[in-house]
Amino acid sequence: DNLPIVDALLRAGADPNEVEFSTSNALSVSLTRDYANPSVTMRLLQAGAHVPRDCPAGNSEDSLLSLATMESNTEVMRELIVRGSPLNCQFRGASALYWAALNGQYDRVALLLQSGANPREQDLDAANASTGDSRVQKEFAKTRQLLKDALKSNEPKPR
């Protein structure tokens, strides 16, 4: 757990927006697979870490929201959304909604849709589980239904 170290660094005046590894800052690192820690992410946000309001240029890297969807929790996702993180960034053709659907994460899919994420057919296609675990199958079924309903409500209405 890096939280005590992060707290000590912040108290000593460390800048939560300092760029470290090429273009990565502490906030983006706190959302990556190897270093994911929702407590650290929330502390960095509280300390003033900048949340970009635009998608990364040229789909060159994951958005903070996509990283949070894959590696963090809904509290972090909600805070990023409140701070203006864009909902529909694409990285290699996939959005945060896609990653949530791929993992059958109904709560994350619901949060993203309620916040204005644009559902696509590929998100629905991603929400297919191939497991015998009935609990997992139920989560995927709920996720698929949520996406179907969202796609249907986005269809153009006949005149």
Side-chain angles (χ1 to χ4, degrees):
D1 183 16
N2 301 4
L3 189 57
I5 295 167
V6 170
D7 281 339
L9 289 168
L10 290 170
R11 278 193 307 275
D15 179 0
N17 294 302
E18 184 177 340
V19 174
E20 292 296 325
F21 314 106
S22 66
T23 61
S24 295
N25 59 24
L27 184 59
S28 61
V29 171
S30 78
L31 292 165
T32 60
R33 177 176 294 156
D34 293 336
Y35 302 103
N37 185 326
S39 298
V40 168
T41 302
M42 292 302 285
R43 185 74 85 242
L44 291 168
L45 289 168
Q46 292 163 356
H50 173 70
V51 176
R53 294 181 176 268
D54 298 314
C55 295
N59 294 327
S60 59
E61 57 190 69
D62 280 318
S63 69
L64 294 179
L65 190 55
S66 288
L67 288 171
T69 301
M70 291 184 278
E71 304 296 339
S72 198
N73 61 32
T74 55
E75 179 186 9
V76 168
M77 290 174 61
R78 191 172 287 109
E79 190 63 27
L80 289 170
I81 292 167
V82 165
R83 291 172 184 260
S85 186
L87 295 165
N88 297 303
C89 294
Q90 299 290 311
F91 178 67
R92 296 183 185 156
S95 64
L97 188 57
Y98 176 87
W99 293 117
L102 183 67
N103 293 304
Q105 297 166 317
Y106 176 83
D107 58 338
R108 294 166 194 236
V109 169
L111 173 62
L112 290 164
L113 290 172
Q114 289 165 1
S115 300
N118 296 327
R120 302 179 310 161
E121 284 293 331
Q122 81 176 54
D123 302 323
L124 180 58
D125 294 341
N128 289 302
S130 58
T131 178
D133 184 328
S134 62
R135 184 188 59 78
V136 171
Q137 288 293 342
K138 285 179 186 176
E139 281 299 304
F140 272 96
K142 285 178 18 183
T143 300
R144 280 192 301 277
Q145 189 59 54
L146 187 61
L147 287 163
K148 284 179 186 177
D149 293 346
L151 284 166
K152 189 173 184 172
S153 71
N154 283 351
E155 288 177 356
K157 308 290 185 249
R159 292 181 178 201

